[in-house]
């Protein structure tokens, strides 16, 4: 049994690349807004918001639009990542 397994830690990040993980503090680790996590040699190197338009066309979402006072407001195509959950 490895040291990580003995402590109950997940060892799914051993390979390099990108994974999509939730950044919430409640739940099994995949709750909260999704983020792209870059991993190299088992270490997290970067955490970025997951942009929804990476794989999908924004027209597929049919986002809302609000027009007021000559401006058009639309929702962002990425979730907000909380600073507390990222720092934790």
């Amino acid at each position: 049994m490895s040291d990580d397994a003995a402590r109950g830690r997940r060892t799914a990040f051993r390979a390099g690349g990108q994974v999509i993980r939730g950044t919430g503090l409640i739940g099994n680790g995949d709750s909260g807004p999704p983020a792209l996590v870059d991993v190299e040699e088992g270490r997290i190197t970067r955490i970025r918001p997951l942009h929804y338009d990476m794989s999908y066309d924004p027209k597929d979402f049919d986002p809302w639009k609000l027009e007021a006072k000559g401006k058009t407001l639309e929702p962002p195509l990425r979730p907000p990542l909380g600073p507390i959950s990222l720092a934790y």
Side-chain angles (χ1 to χ4, degrees):
M1 180 181 284
S2 70
D3 191 37
D4 286 337
R7 291 190 177 123
R9 295 181 186 162
R10 293 183 186 189
T11 58
F13 296 124
R14 291 286 179 210
Q18 278 185 341
V19 293
I20 298 174
R21 298 293 291 185
T23 57
L25 295 176
I26 300 173
N28 62 357
D30 285 331
S31 63
L36 281 174
V37 180
D38 294 336
V39 180
E40 291 180 12
E41 299 179 8
R43 294 179 180 250
I44 295 175
T45 57
R46 183 185 311 175
I47 300 175
R48 299 179 280 174
L50 174 69
H51 288 264
Y52 298 132
D53 57 349
M54 285 177 49
S55 301
Y56 300 99
D57 188 21
K59 294 176 185 175
D60 294 338
F61 299 130
D62 193 24
W64 54 266
K65 289 184 182 181
L66 179 66
E67 295 181 15
K69 298 181 182 180
K71 295 183 180 180
T72 302
L73 303 172
E74 299 180 61
L77 291 177
R78 60 179 176 79
L81 298 180
I84 294 174
S85 60
L86 290 177
Y88 181 74

